[in-house]
């Protein structure tokens, strides 16, 4: 058997492009300071005015609000220094490798080069830890604060697991309202959160008025992200020592995730490549926007690079949603933001990519799509999970269902390149691993049936 044919051409250069720890970026890239168009700031949830910090400093860490409202340096400086403590923790798992997907290329018979940036190798298994850590850190740095606990809601549990690990790292308590359906059906991330020391509650819970009301009306209610977020907000309101942490739709998460793109840029420079296409999956938009952010100015200045955001066919926010002000939560407690949205009352279908079930996308990504800097594509769940299986078989990496959307996007582009014979460089962001999502893969790919 010709085994070389299965591996691809491995003789001409390395598979893994590794940055030494000494080259870990020292700054995040603050893309809003350099865009040729404004990214509008959030509005008050009800009143007709901009949000001010003291409207919400009981709810969010102040530094998160300063970033979100583009205050001072966050409105003007392209480079924001990464605190030393954060760099020290990042160095546990960063810089992360950029890997050439040679076996996948070989399998596809494509002239394209495919690279994937690995965000699955950190303590919680996805890019979410990159920002959870910083949000918890900000909470510990507030003057005169007695903040001792971070609170959040979680669906499938990736965000909860990331925050639990972050709080443990910072010596903070962590309370997670986990949607009852996932709490019951997906126990492994719940176990992981508890192992890291977090309190995990099934939502709707008896802990809050919202939860009690929902349970009174419907004792079997299986929960939703809307109810979970309302419970989390109420739980924060009860005590001055608590603050909310949010994963995806905020700009501060995008800022922190720019570390992904900054490393990727250095790695591609190291092998003398520049990307023709960058692909990622979008839930709230944080991993993809952080991944492309440092390349956006090149594009605006005329370089022919293409950015493609991939969504599930059943949640086509960027592809088919409206561009308008909307709330991030079901109960209209959070600021209104200008974004692509399917409406804050949109109930997403029960797809297995829990991290992509958001009705809206972060304002900066929405503005990039609106201004035609970023393009979009959708794929069906079956197309995506087949791509996840092919990626496991060829590259030996089990992508999260969310990340398999990016893999699918890259495979499609590589197939197009085969047709045109173009020697493209395609780079995808592998936002997380799928080891705790195998049940979802099984449901779609029917893995209970012997081959
Ligand atoms: C949460 C999640 C996403 C979606 O969130 P973004 O804010 O769009 O990055 C994507 N991939 C994984 C693995 C996730 O856990």
């Amino acid at each position: 058997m010709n085994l070389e044919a299965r591996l691809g051409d491995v003789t001409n250069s390395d598979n893994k492009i590794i940055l030494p720890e000494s080259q870990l970026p020292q700054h995040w890239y603050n893309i809003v300071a350099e865009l040729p168009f404004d990214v509008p700031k959030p509005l008050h949830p009800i009143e007709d005015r901009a949000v001010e910090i003291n409207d919400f400093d009981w709810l969010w860490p102040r530094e998160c609000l300063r970033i979100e409202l583009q205050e001072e340096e966050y409105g003007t400086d392209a480079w924001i220094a990464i605190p030393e403590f954060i760099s020290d923790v990042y160095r546990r798992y960063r810089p992360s490798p950029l890997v050439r997907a040679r076996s996948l290329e070989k399998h596809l018979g494509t002239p394209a080069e495919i690279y994937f940036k690995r965000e699955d190798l950190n303590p919680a298994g996805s890019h979410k830890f990159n920002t959870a850590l910083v949000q918890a850190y900000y909470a510990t740095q507030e003057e005169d604060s007695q903040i001792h606990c971070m609170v959040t809601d979680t669906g499938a549990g990736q965000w909860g697991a990331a925050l639990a690990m972050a709080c443990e790292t910072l010596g903070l308590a962590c309370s997670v309202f986990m949607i009852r359906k996932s709490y019951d059906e997906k126990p492994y991330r719940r176990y992981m959160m508890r192992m890291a020391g977090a309190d995990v509650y099934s939502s709707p819970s008896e802990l809050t008025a919202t939860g009690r009301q929902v349970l009174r009306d419907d004792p079997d209610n299986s929960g939703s992200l809307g109810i979970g977020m309302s419970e989390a907000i109420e739980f924060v309101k009860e005590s001055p020592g608590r603050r909310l942490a949010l994963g995806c739709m905020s700009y501060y998460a995008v800022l922190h995730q720019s570390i992904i793109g900054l490393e990727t840029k250095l790695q591609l420079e190291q092998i003398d490549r520049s990307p023709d296409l960058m692909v990622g999956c979008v839930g709230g938009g944080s991993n993809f926007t952080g991944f492309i952010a440092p390349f956006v100015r090149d594009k605006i200045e005329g370089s022919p690079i293409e950015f493609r955001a991939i969504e599930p066919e059943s949640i086509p926010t960027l592809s088919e949603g409206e561009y308008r002000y909307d709330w991030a939560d079901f109960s209209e407690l959070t600021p209104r933001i200008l974004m692509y949205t399917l409406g804050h009352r949109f109930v997403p279908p029960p797809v297995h990519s829990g991290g992509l079930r958001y009705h809206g996308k972060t304002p900066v990504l929405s503005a990039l799509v609106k201004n035609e800097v970023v393009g979009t594509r959708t794929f069906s769940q079956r197309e995506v999970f087949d791509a996840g299986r092919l990626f496991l078989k060829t590259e030996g990496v089990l992508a999260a269902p969310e990340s398999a959307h990016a893999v699918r996007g890259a495979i499609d582009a590589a197939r197009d390149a085969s047709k045109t014979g173009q020697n493209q460089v395609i780079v995808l962001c592998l936002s997380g691993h799928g080891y705790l999502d195998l049940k979802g893969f099984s449901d779609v790919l029917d893995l209970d049936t012997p081959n």
Side-chain angles (χ1 to χ4, degrees):
M1 189 202 264
N2 179 0
L3 285 178
E4 266 161 41
R6 298 183 71 84
L7 279 184
D9 176 10
V10 292
T11 50
N12 62 356
S13 64
D14 294 342
N15 280 315
K16 295 189 290 301
I17 300 105
I18 307 279
L19 276 187
E21 285 183 29
S22 60
Q23 281 192 47
L24 179 77
Q26 301 291 301
H27 296 81
W28 288 299
Y29 177 59
N30 183 28
I31 183 174
V32 293
E34 292 210 319
L35 284 177
F37 43 83
D38 280 342
V39 176
K41 297 174 194 178
L43 298 179
H44 190 274
I46 314 159
E47 293 165 29
D48 189 18
R49 64 174 174 85
V51 165
E52 287 163 22
I53 288 207
N54 44 21
D55 291 328
F56 282 106
D57 59 354
W58 58 273
L59 183 60
W60 274 283
R62 284 182 76 87
E63 200 68 11
C64 290
L65 286 165
R66 291 189 63 237
I67 299 169
E68 206 61 24
L69 304 184
Q70 303 172 35
E71 299 237 320
E72 297 163 275
E73 73 272 29
Y74 294 115
T76 54
D77 298 2
W79 300 100
I80 303 293
I82 300 178
E84 211 174 294
F85 179 88
I86 300 296
S87 291
D88 287 346
V89 182
Y90 275 176
R91 273 199 293 273
R92 288 180 183 171
Y93 64 99
R94 309 207 69 91
S96 75
L98 180 72
V99 183
R100 173 112 182 244
R102 285 181 201 277
S103 305
L104 177 62
E105 289 170 15
K106 192 84 186 175
H107 177 92
L108 298 170
T110 178
E113 294 178 10
I114 306 173
Y115 297 86
F116 57 103
K117 176 66 170 165
R118 297 200 66 169
E119 290 301 315
D120 58 319
L121 301 173
N122 74 64
S126 82
H127 68 289
K128 289 192 170 79
F129 186 77
N130 294 334
T131 180
L133 177 72
V134 192
Q135 295 179 37
Y137 171 81
Y138 289 154
T140 65
Q141 297 301 296
E142 259 179 53
E143 272 173 48
D144 304 326
S145 115
Q146 314 128 29
I147 303 174
H148 59 79
C149 176
M150 298 299 283
V151 182
T152 198
D153 66 313
T154 196
Q158 285 112 323
W159 174 242
L163 188 66
M165 288 298 303
C167 286
E168 179 50 33
T169 308
L170 271 304
L172 291 166
C174 180
S175 294
V176 181
F177 290 86
M178 186 171 190
I179 291 166
R180 185 189 207 165
K181 190 171 161 47
S182 306
Y183 184 97
D184 293 338
E185 291 176 7
K186 297 180 179 163
Y188 293 109
R189 287 205 180 86
R190 161 159 59 89
Y191 298 154
M192 182 169 169
M193 288 183 257
R194 289 210 173 120
M195 231 174 133
D199 294 319
V200 188
Y201 307 111
S202 172
S203 167
S205 77
E206 293 287 345
L207 258 75
T208 67
T210 308
R212 287 190 294 271
Q213 179 67 46
V214 172
L215 288 173
R216 231 186 340 265
D217 294 346
D218 174 12
D220 297 325
N221 189 295
S222 58
S224 71
L225 281 171
I227 295 169
M229 164 110 53
S230 294
E231 287 209 276
I233 292 174
E234 199 183 315
F235 195 69
V236 170
K237 211 169 203 168
E238 271 173 17
S239 158
R242 300 182 187 139
R243 290 293 182 280
L244 188 70
L246 288 184
C248 291
M249 254 194 268
S250 55
Y251 177 62
Y252 51 84
V254 171
L255 175 72
H256 302 149
Q257 298 299 354
S258 67
I259 190 85
I260 304 174
L262 291 165
E263 287 179 7
T264 303
K265 198 160 200 202
L266 291 172
Q267 286 163 314
L268 288 170
E269 281 165 12
Q270 196 169 300
I271 54 167
D272 224 0
R273 293 289 188 281
S274 57
D276 295 298
L277 175 70
M278 297 183 77
V279 201
C281 65
V282 290
S286 66
N287 86 84
F288 176 68
T289 315
F291 175 56
I292 66 166
F295 298 84
V296 165
R297 212 178 69 186
D298 299 345
K299 167 149 183 129
I300 288 171
E301 287 171 357
S303 124
I305 173 168
E306 200 186 322
F307 306 118
R308 199 170 291 164
I310 312 292
E311 304 181 295
E313 201 170 72
S314 55
I315 310 165
T317 311
L318 292 171
S319 314
E320 291 172 31
E322 288 176 44
Y323 189 62
R324 62 174 164 87
Y325 279 94
D326 198 9
W327 292 269
D329 69 309
F330 186 86
S331 314
E332 309 179 1
L333 300 170
T334 52
R336 285 171 294 150
I337 44 189
L338 184 60
M339 60 179 175
Y340 280 100
T341 176
L342 296 170
H344 64 292
R345 293 279 158 86
F346 174 75
V347 178
V351 294
H352 292 288
S353 304
L356 306 186
R357 297 176 68 209
Y358 293 92
H359 64 275
K361 307 291 136 175
T362 188
V364 59
L365 176 59
S366 293
L368 287 167
V369 171
K370 183 79 185 161
N371 285 277
E372 296 178 2
V373 178
V374 169
T376 68
R377 262 311 287 268
T378 64
F379 291 103
S380 73
Q381 184 158 258
R382 179 74 208 205
E383 291 172 311
V384 164
F385 279 48
D386 280 337
R389 169 153 57 190
L390 180 59
F391 202 62
L392 176 71
K393 289 171 84 166
T394 52
E395 293 303 314
V397 176
L398 179 57
E402 293 86 355
S403 318
H405 286 75
V407 173
R408 177 71 210 203
I411 288 174
D412 255 48
R415 289 203 171 118
D416 289 347
S418 313
K419 279 180 220 144
T420 60
Q422 271 180 325
N423 201 352
Q424 279 210 326
V425 174
I426 300 169
V427 192
L428 73 98
C429 182
L430 195 86
S431 52
H433 70 63
Y435 292 104
L436 301 183
D437 306 285
L438 278 165
K439 178 72 171 68
F441 277 103
S442 173
D443 288 350
V444 176
L445 299 177
D446 193 18
L447 305 177
D448 277 323
T449 306
N451 281 329

